[in-house]
Amino acid sequence: MRIPKIRLSCVVVFLLVTAAGGYWTHLTQSLATTERGVLMRDLVNSQASAVERRLSRSLASTYILAQEVRQNLGMFDGFELYADEILQSIGGVSNLQLAPDGIIRYIHPLAGNEKAIGHDILKDDRRRKEALLAVEEHHLTLAGPFELVQGGVAVIGRNPVYLPSENGEKFWGFASALIFLEDLLKVTELDQLENKGYRYELLRQHPDTGVEEVFAQSVEPLNQHTQSVSINVPNSTWRLVMSRPGAAVNWRAAAGYLTSLFAGLLLAWILFYFLQQPEKLKKVVKQKTEELASLAFHDHLTGLANRRLLSEQLAQVLRQSERYGTQGALLYLDLDDFKRVNDSMGHDAGDLLLEQIAKRLSSVVRDSDIVSRLGGDEFGVLLLDANSVRNVGHIAEKLIEQIEQPVAIELKQFVVSCSIGIAMIPADGADVSTLLRNADLAMYAAKHAGKHKHMFFDPVYQQQAEQNLRIEHDLCSAVENDEFVLHYQPLLDMKQNVTVGYEALVRWQHPEKGLIYPDQFIGIAEETGKIIDIGYWVIREACEVLKVLKRQHGRDLRVAVNLSPRQFRDPNLLDEIRNIVRASAIEPTSLEIEITESTLMDDVDDAVHTLQQLQKMGISIAIDDFGTGYSSFALLKRLPVDKLKIDRSFVMALASDSSDQKIVRGLVAMAHTLGIKVVAEGIETSEQHTLLKRYRCDFGQGYLFGRPEPIVSTDEEFTAVAES
């Protein structure tokens, strides 16, 4: 009876082990295949995005060139110098062309492109369709890729230029930018990836046949494991298809199954060795338990300790300090403007940056010290046996210096800084929560002091936090008690030198503290949500003032009101504004809504819908502080916007900085191309005023024309009362 039982046990063990091994092999292969697919999809998206960004930026040169032609009514003296300046500013463009009546007359640089002079675009059968489409739709079109008369393969963006005439607009010709395909692909990593075994094809739908054709490809053809993504280009769509090297290696799966079979036979044959298995299983369980514990106490992205582990270590340091009199320090770090990386490059690039920062932090401190990631872009460093404030400050300076070293992400260099708050142990807290709070307060003090620095905790910060709490408490009743007032800054028409409207700016007339400016309470109102009540109060007050202005001046003036990001996302926004406008009985066209471009980036589709609904009411839309964020003109074309407000930082240095002059001139030209008016903020000198008028800026706002002041109305007169 014993032998049959042993045989049965051997069969059972063989079947179990073989099945388990086969399942494990299958699971491993599935996970590997899934991982390769995810990585491949991210890789294709990044390469396609690089092509689309470069193409969009390069084609922007045609708008600038077209604007200059329109401003000069078709005459273009000094084309070479102007085109050279555009090429140096934008980059990625091989040459710029002007083709009056569709015939290429001007090319810069001319060397090597002489054969193209005199070429009639509208009669060239190969590219005539795209040219006629541009003329018909009044939009930039992209032709190619194709072989050029002067040699080489390129794409060319043709922007039709129209000049005013007695019968409307008259077609003048084309402003074109030629981009060699080879130069366009240099912004990608396709060459390097091809050397690593990746393969690719770039395809487009032929404009005449409608058949998809390949215009760029790797030396080796694609294999069966491909990923593709669309690239949006003017009047067409390209498609990038890539395949990964080394498709799933089947011999590994075969080896796994054979190994499982062999293990089952071996274990069935030497069954008595299974007496040792319980001990082995205990070791495996212990290892897995340790791995799970590690996951519970460490950050999954950087591998650093997490907040939970840091808190436990802090508690232990406090106990040791109380028992042995030892000292330490807690450093609370926050990366400055980290959102800029996420917005411009995506969250994957942001994760890569965080991993690099984690390594740099660990390289500065001792192995016995603890570096942790507290969440987002916040880090904590626990320094043990830190007896000298001077030494702690020196370490903080080294951390800032290390973090500010350039970081290479996707062939781009990023430089970020950090702000550090320091709490000494045990001087600045007797428990974990107090230490974390005080280090956090010191870090915010460093940020408010200008960032890029470290600061030690001071009880004054706690007082400031308490003051903020009092402000938060007082805000709860400020709207009901009618404690807010509006000051109005005039908006000047730059051509006619007359005031055409005002911007409403909120102030808090606190019953005890007097007049409080927005920088002291708007941030708190935004965090607590009270900004929504304040925002609707501002709109109601502005509408009432609009009636006063019309009664006084006998015509409709416009008042602009700023919307905070939180109020812009309020689901009741459209209904509230609609009800306020109806109740006040004003002309909706007299009301203007201003939003910052960063507000639009959170959810572009929802933002577009909201702006469209506001415009349907008759309300005009302005983007405030334009130029300081990361939105592109490709995105701007989607937005229903009436005005752009150029940020005052560009205007302040306008008279002395040629780079800012080029930026402002380019912004004005591009906005006018899209039919958008331009407002310059912060005008304080006549020299700034003169330059902006020269650049054809539409409106101006600043101390040169008037400071923000209250507007009051009596039965007899309309009086602007200066700020106290």
Side-chain angles (χ1 to χ4, degrees):
M1 295 297 294
R2 186 177 180 183
I3 294 177
K5 288 183 179 180
I6 293 176
R7 289 178 177 174
L8 180 60
S9 299
C10 290
V11 171
V12 171
V13 169
F14 167 76
L15 293 175
L16 288 176
V17 173
T18 303
Y23 175 75
W24 178 259
T25 300
H26 173 72
L27 183 61
T28 302
Q29 289 295 109
S30 298
L31 289 175
T33 301
T34 301
E35 182 180 7
R36 284 194 296 269
V38 171
L39 293 175
M40 187 64 187
R41 184 165 57 253
D42 292 343
L43 182 62
V44 175
N45 284 332
S46 68
Q47 302 309 304
S49 296
V51 173
E52 190 169 339
R53 287 195 301 271
R54 168 60 73 177
L55 194 59
S56 177
R57 179 177 177 182
S58 299
L59 292 178
S61 60
T62 65
Y63 290 100
I64 300 175
L65 199 59
Q67 180 66 18
E68 190 66 18
V69 172
R70 283 191 288 271
Q71 290 179 352
N72 290 278
L73 299 179
M75 304 299 294
F76 208 125
D77 295 327
F79 168 77
E80 296 288 331
L81 292 177
Y82 191 82
D84 188 67
E85 183 178 355
I86 295 175
L87 292 177
Q88 293 181 13
S89 300
I90 293 182
V93 180
S94 299
N95 65 64
L96 293 173
Q97 305 175 7
L98 286 179
D101 298 322
I103 301 175
I104 299 175
R105 302 296 187 189
Y106 305 93
I107 298 180
H108 179 76
L110 182 60
N113 298 304
E114 294 85 354
K115 293 183 178 180
I117 294 295
H119 182 69
D120 192 334
I121 298 171
L122 296 177
K123 293 183 179 180
D124 185 351
D125 293 336
R126 292 175 298 171
R127 303 186 298 275
R128 183 170 178 265
K129 184 175 182 179
E130 290 93 340
L132 292 175
L133 180 64
V135 175
E136 179 182 351
E137 296 188 356
H138 291 214
H139 287 307
L140 170 72
T141 61
L142 185 70
F146 53 79
E147 293 187 3
L148 300 173
V149 175
Q150 62 270 36
V153 177
V155 295
I156 184 166
R158 294 198 177 93
N159 202 343
V161 182
Y162 290 84
L163 300 180
S165 67
E166 295 180 356
N167 298 322
E169 289 189 334
K170 177 182 179 182
F171 174 67
W172 176 86
F174 294 102
S176 306
L178 186 138
I179 306 159
F180 278 105
L181 183 61
E182 181 180 357
D183 294 337
L184 179 61
L185 296 182
K186 283 181 180 179
V187 302
T188 70
E189 301 171 323
L190 292 174
D191 288 341
Q192 298 93 311
L193 293 172
E194 185 176 3
N195 293 333
K196 295 179 181 179
Y198 288 87
R199 303 168 185 180
Y200 71 92
E201 286 184 354
L202 265 171
L203 307 96
R204 68 155 187 170
Q205 192 175 46
H206 194 279
D208 296 322
T209 64
V211 177
E212 197 172 52
E213 63 176 6
V214 178
F215 60 87
Q217 62 185 14
S218 56
V219 176
E220 296 293 331
L222 299 172
N223 60 34
Q224 58 182 346
H225 302 279
T226 63
Q227 291 280 356
S228 67
V229 66
S230 296
I231 303 173
N232 292 321
V233 301
N235 65 279
S236 183
T237 300
W238 293 356
R239 192 163 61 92
L240 174 62
V241 184
M242 294 184 66
S243 63
R244 61 176 183 264
V249 182
N250 293 328
W251 67 265
R252 291 184 180 177
Y257 293 126
L258 289 175
T259 301
S260 302
L261 181 62
F262 177 78
L265 290 172
L266 181 61
L267 291 174
W269 181 256
I270 51 175
L271 184 58
F272 63 92
Y273 279 111
F274 267 84
L275 296 175
Q276 300 177 9
Q277 292 308 303
E279 189 63 30
K280 292 181 179 180
L281 289 175
K282 288 180 182 179
K283 293 180 180 179
V284 172
V285 170
K286 181 180 179 181
Q287 178 184 355
K288 295 298 182 182
T289 302
E290 291 174 351
E291 291 177 357
L292 290 174
S294 177
L295 291 174
F297 288 97
H298 290 81
D299 177 57
H300 72 282
L301 176 64
T302 62
L304 298 176
N306 59 16
R307 182 182 289 269
R308 179 179 175 184
L309 179 56
L310 178 67
S311 298
E312 291 190 1
Q313 292 297 318
L314 268 175
Q316 183 177 344
V317 169
L318 286 169
R319 288 192 295 268
Q320 292 177 349
S321 176
E322 182 179 1
R323 181 176 301 177
Y324 304 111
T326 58
Q327 299 182 36
L330 173 63
L331 281 65
Y332 204 113
L333 296 85
D334 183 86
L335 300 182
D336 300 327
D337 301 323
F338 174 72
K339 188 175 183 292
R340 172 171 57 89
V341 179
N342 277 340
D343 289 345
S344 60
M345 297 293 293
H347 290 280
D348 291 340
D351 289 345
L352 292 175
L353 175 61
L354 292 175
E355 291 176 2
Q356 292 295 322
I357 296 300
K359 293 178 182 178
R360 294 181 180 183
L361 293 175
S362 300
S363 69
V364 173
V365 302
R366 300 166 298 183
D367 292 339
S368 58
D369 297 325
I370 297 174
V371 180
S372 65
R373 183 186 177 207
L374 303 178
D377 60 341
E378 296 181 344
F379 296 85
V381 178
L382 177 59
L383 302 179
L384 307 177
D385 300 325
N387 299 320
S388 169
V389 171
R390 181 177 180 181
N391 289 341
V392 172
H394 179 65
I395 292 174
E397 291 174 356
K398 289 178 64 177
L399 289 171
I400 293 174
E401 181 181 349
Q402 277 294 316
I403 288 176
E404 289 185 345
Q405 297 299 315
V407 180
I409 301 176
E410 297 183 4
L411 301 181
K412 291 188 176 182
Q413 294 286 333
F414 283 90
V415 177
V416 295
S417 62
C418 75
S419 302
I420 302 179
I422 305 172
M424 298 301 294
I425 303 171
D428 294 330
D431 57 75
V432 172
S433 61
T434 300
L435 280 170
L436 286 170
R437 183 190 66 226
N438 290 344
D440 190 24
L441 288 173
M443 182 270 292
Y444 275 105
K447 279 191 175 293
H448 289 307
K451 304 179 181 180
H452 173 61
K453 59 181 62 180
H454 70 275
M455 297 190 73
F456 287 86
F457 171 73
D458 189 313
V460 173
Y461 305 152
Q462 180 64 30
Q463 297 172 8
Q464 181 63 47
E466 293 172 356
Q467 180 180 351
N468 289 343
L469 284 175
R470 287 194 293 271
I471 291 177
E472 180 180 337
H473 177 268
D474 292 347
L475 276 173
C476 294
S477 58
V479 174
E480 289 78 0
N481 295 337
D482 198 25
E483 295 175 5
F484 292 104
V485 295
L486 291 183
H487 289 185
Y488 297 84
Q489 186 171 32
L491 183 70
L492 188 78
D493 187 310
M494 301 280 273
K495 294 180 180 179
Q496 302 179 15
N497 289 326
V498 296
T499 299
V500 294
Y502 296 86
E503 179 180 0
L505 303 170
V506 67
R507 308 286 189 262
W508 184 4
Q509 189 65 52
H510 195 280
E512 298 176 1
K513 299 182 177 65
L515 193 65
I516 301 178
Y517 284 84
D519 59 338
Q520 300 180 46
F521 67 87
I522 287 297
I524 299 174
E526 183 80 14
E527 292 177 3
T528 60
K530 293 301 295 182
I531 192 67
I532 295 178
D533 293 335
I534 296 173
Y536 291 134
W537 178 89
V538 170
I539 296 173
R540 284 192 293 271
E541 285 295 307
C543 289
E544 292 301 317
V545 167
L546 277 169
K547 293 190 290 186
V548 172
L549 294 173
K550 183 174 182 179
R551 186 167 61 247
Q552 174 64 27
H553 294 276
R555 60 188 176 92
D556 287 319
L557 295 178
R558 179 169 291 170
V559 171
V561 175
N562 293 279
L563 283 189
S564 73
R566 187 158 185 168
Q567 186 175 17
F568 188 73
R569 295 191 295 269
D570 180 18
N572 299 320
L573 175 70
L574 296 174
D575 290 337
E576 289 286 348
I577 292 179
R578 186 180 291 109
N579 293 335
I580 291 172
V581 171
R582 287 175 179 172
S584 61
I586 66 163
E587 288 294 331
T589 54
S590 300
L591 182 63
E592 182 169 279
I593 297 297
E594 292 187 8
I595 53 175
T596 59
E597 58 177 313
S598 59
T599 302
L600 303 172
M601 300 304 292
D602 292 337
D603 191 327
V604 176
D605 292 334
D606 283 351
V608 169
H609 173 74
T610 301
L611 297 180
Q612 288 174 341
Q613 295 303 310
L614 289 171
Q615 280 195 336
K616 286 182 179 179
M617 298 181 202
I619 298 171
S620 61
I621 307 298
I623 296 184
D624 199 9
D625 299 334
F626 189 79
T628 60
Y630 310 100
S631 60
S632 65
F633 281 101
L635 174 61
L636 188 60
K637 291 192 296 184
R638 294 181 54 194
L639 300 175
V641 174
D642 302 292
K643 290 180 184 176
L644 294 185
K645 300 191 74 173
I646 300 176
D647 186 68
R648 65 181 65 247
S649 61
F650 296 108
V651 176
M652 295 301 291
L654 195 60
S656 58
D657 192 327
S658 60
S659 296
D660 281 351
Q661 292 178 8
K662 293 178 181 178
I663 291 173
V664 172
R665 185 167 56 188
L667 288 175
V668 173
M670 291 295 291
H672 286 172
T673 300
L674 297 176
I676 300 174
K677 300 292 185 180
V678 180
V679 182
E681 298 181 292
I683 303 175
E684 297 183 0
T685 67
S686 57
E687 188 174 3
Q688 294 168 351
H689 184 200
T690 301
L691 286 172
L692 289 166
K693 288 186 69 173
R694 184 184 305 166
Y695 300 155
R696 294 180 172 84
C697 184
D698 301 289
F699 303 101
Q701 183 178 342
Y703 287 173
L704 182 64
F705 313 126
R707 293 176 176 268
E709 299 175 343
I711 291 178
V712 297
S713 174
T714 65
D715 294 337
E716 295 82 15
E717 62 181 357
F718 163 87
T719 307
V721 182
E723 286 183 321
S724 59

